[in-house]
Amino acid sequence: MLDNNQLLRFTTAGSVDDGKSTLIGRLLYDSKSIFEDQLEAIESTSKKKGYDGVDLALFTDGLRDEREQGITIDVAYRYFTTPKRKFIIADTPGHIQYTRNMVTGASTANVATILIDARHGVVEQTKRHTFIASLLQIPHIIVCVNKMDLVDFSEEVFTKIVSDFEDIASKMLVKDVRFIPMSALLGDNVVHRSENMKWYQGAPMLHTLETMHISSDVNKVDARFPVQTVLRPQNESHRDYRGYAGRMASGVLRVADEITVLPAGFTSKIKSIDTYKESLEEAYAPMSVAITLEDDIDISRGDMIVRSNNLPTASQDIELMLCWLHNAPAKPRAKYTIKHTSNDQKAMIKEVVYKIDIETLERITDDDTLQMNSIAKVKIRTTKPLLADAYRENRTTGSVILVDDATNETVAAGMIV
């Protein structure tokens, strides 16, 4: 039984002109998820451009530059709902120079949809996008073999692309991969099953997204509760109330559980778990709750409540896979603010171990400059220990961002190795 309110985030990736924006447009159009005024505006723009029907790509290409060039530059987020699920789509750019935008759009996704043009098959961009999806540990990948109408809906073409892609995926940490032959322009296998590809026995894309099992994508084992603020309401009914508010990053905490507060190491038991409406017996990710403890402990923002028998690693020396997001390159030995869950502190990049050539996916060891869109393995040192898990085990407590103190701009996003 699916939770009707369950939210699935998915990101689209592919080479330029593979039809990503058209696919999303078709998904929104055929699932009747577009407002009438929006539809009218797009129909009128399509007529001006000389289209007979609707230019589906206009539903997502929001920037004027994109509409003029017919490409996607920024990450466009779209929201839609079906009776079975809620969806957030991140339509990310395919160009090499927008790698950072793809990393941003894909960082919270449950599913990556990678588009392949049936005429061109698996290309360099496909490898790169699959690599980024595996780097970001996106749990599910749907390979959409698009433009099947331009290869006469050939099963042989589809089978060869599946085989070529599996060859790439076997070299990367990719878990669940599904393949769907489609024509986004004509609507084959997007929302409705294709009449032109009777040989394909699988479900169309929307049905696949609606029924995909994503509950186990969240780490249910390691209980991690980063404290965001301390609640001390000074009213009659809550005179001595001291609640630690935050959002469960992973795992489950229950009333009476033995917990440890890090980094101090004090132990206690959970007295209550409260929301603004009621008290609960347990909290699990991604719930926002306030926790009270049986002992009076000095806890503040940035501390973490964990189960006493399952502690994260506390370390000041951390290895990260880092994607550099800023126009200005990284400054050698410069200090940055590192943000990890609710904890902020100072950090310095000590060493660039290697960079990844995003074209060939080979490691570069003789160049330690970090420029925009660089992906590199780096060693950093923080002023106090970070309470972290490896990113592959816990995407929430395994991710960080670096902020430039001078400008307050986010300069990099990192995944803890």
Side-chain angles (χ1 to χ4, degrees):
M1 171 85 179
L2 282 168
D3 173 1
N4 284 358
N5 287 321
Q6 198 175 35
L7 174 67
L8 181 140
R9 297 169 184 265
F10 69 96
T11 179
T12 58
S15 299
V16 179
D17 290 337
D18 275 352
K20 295 188 301 296
S21 299
T22 305
L23 171 61
I24 294 170
R26 173 62 68 191
L27 204 53
L28 298 172
Y29 187 68
D30 281 6
S31 63
K32 309 214 170 5
S33 303
I34 296 157
F35 294 117
E36 275 183 35
D37 58 340
Q38 213 182 352
L39 190 54
E40 283 164 16
I42 282 166
E43 280 170 348
S44 112
T45 310
S46 302
K47 277 203 187 86
K48 283 180 197 157
K49 288 174 78 177
Y51 278 73
D52 292 338
V54 178
D55 180 3
L56 296 164
L58 295 178
F59 291 124
T60 54
D61 286 344
L63 299 175
R64 179 169 285 176
D65 283 357
E66 296 180 357
R67 291 190 175 178
E68 285 169 2
Q69 294 178 46
I71 60 165
T72 302
I73 295 172
D74 206 349
V75 184
Y77 290 97
R78 289 292 173 271
Y79 307 84
F80 76 104
T81 305
T82 69
K84 293 186 179 168
R85 247 187 198 153
K86 294 175 182 168
F87 297 93
I88 297 178
I89 315 168
D91 179 22
T92 61
H95 290 65
I96 293 171
Q97 66 263 43
Y98 304 123
T99 302
R100 63 175 183 164
N101 298 44
M102 189 188 161
V103 169
T104 309
S107 57
T108 55
N110 304 92
V111 182
T113 54
I114 295 178
L115 266 80
I116 294 177
D117 187 324
R119 297 167 303 172
H120 305 145
V122 172
V123 293
E124 280 300 322
Q125 287 276 63
T126 316
K127 287 185 194 169
R128 195 162 67 248
H129 292 147
T130 309
F131 171 75
I132 291 173
S134 77
L135 184 72
L136 292 167
Q137 296 286 306
I138 298 175
H140 313 278
I141 291 179
I142 299 176
V143 179
C144 303
V145 182
N146 192 24
K147 305 195 180 181
M148 287 296 291
D149 51 314
L150 301 180
V151 293
D152 298 326
F153 302 104
S154 160
E155 185 177 2
E156 281 154 38
V157 170
F158 176 69
T159 309
K160 175 158 192 334
I161 290 171
V162 170
S163 162
D164 291 349
F165 187 90
E166 282 177 338
D167 194 39
I168 298 174
S170 65
K171 299 181 180 78
M172 300 180 193
L173 290 168
V174 177
K175 298 168 193 162
D176 172 27
V177 186
R178 303 165 196 217
F179 300 89
I180 303 175
M182 61 172 61
S183 165
L185 193 65
L186 305 178
D188 290 68
N189 282 337
V190 180
V191 172
H192 306 297
R193 187 176 283 284
S194 170
E195 290 298 312
N196 296 305
M197 291 179 276
K198 294 274 175 59
W199 46 264
Y200 172 68
Q201 296 300 308
M205 182 177 175
L206 182 62
H207 181 77
T208 305
L209 290 168
E210 283 181 332
T211 55
M212 185 171 273
H213 177 69
I214 58 168
S215 300
S216 54
D217 294 352
V218 179
N219 179 327
K220 298 259 175 48
V221 178
D222 305 312
R224 306 282 184 259
F225 184 76
V227 175
Q228 289 182 14
T229 188
V230 181
L231 302 180
R232 295 293 310 275
Q234 299 299 318
N235 57 21
E236 286 302 321
S237 54
H238 295 87
R239 181 62 66 197
D240 297 318
Y241 187 88
R242 183 193 285 266
Y244 307 106
R247 188 181 188 196
M248 287 292 296
S250 60
V252 182
L253 285 174
R254 297 182 177 87
V255 173
D257 274 357
E258 293 203 2
I259 59 92
T260 299
V261 179
L262 297 173
F266 296 122
T267 57
S268 183
K269 283 189 176 177
I270 294 179
K271 185 175 170 186
S272 72
I273 298 171
D274 306 311
T275 68
Y276 71 99
K277 284 183 181 170
E278 58 187 341
S279 289
L280 307 171
E281 283 303 306
E282 64 176 26
Y284 49 87
M287 289 168 67
S288 295
V289 294
I291 290 175
T292 67
L293 303 179
E294 291 187 353
D295 302 282
D296 231 358
I297 298 174
D298 181 20
I299 300 176
S300 55
R301 179 182 169 82
D303 291 349
M304 193 181 282
I305 295 174
V306 300
R307 267 220 205 86
S308 296
N309 59 359
N310 179 342
L311 305 180
T313 308
S315 175
Q316 284 178 266
D317 291 295
I318 293 156
E319 287 196 353
L320 298 173
M321 289 303 296
L322 201 69
C323 178
W324 196 258
L325 308 174
H326 202 260
N327 298 323
K331 305 180 199 86
R333 320 272 310 165
K335 284 201 171 58
Y336 297 98
T337 294
I338 188 166
K339 290 179 177 283
H340 172 259
T341 63
S342 58
N343 185 3
D344 299 359
Q345 51 179 285
K346 298 286 180 264
M348 180 176 72
I349 300 172
K350 277 173 48 182
E351 181 191 345
V352 176
V353 183
Y354 60 79
K355 277 168 54 172
I356 288 171
D357 183 332
I358 209 74
E359 286 285 344
T360 61
L361 304 185
E362 289 171 354
R363 295 178 179 185
I364 305 166
T365 51
D366 56 355
D367 176 10
D368 60 359
T369 57
L370 292 178
Q371 279 132 343
M372 184 157 64
N373 296 316
S374 293
I375 292 179
K377 185 176 184 181
V378 302
K379 289 181 179 174
I380 65 167
R381 183 163 180 86
T382 58
T383 47
K384 293 180 201 157
L386 277 196
L387 308 166
D389 298 288
Y391 182 83
R392 68 170 181 275
E393 287 157 17
N394 197 327
R395 284 170 85 185
T396 308
T397 55
S399 57
V400 299
I401 59 170
L402 295 184
V403 175
D404 186 321
D405 289 348
T407 60
N408 211 25
E409 289 180 298
T410 302
V411 293
M415 292 141 281
I416 293 167
V417 182

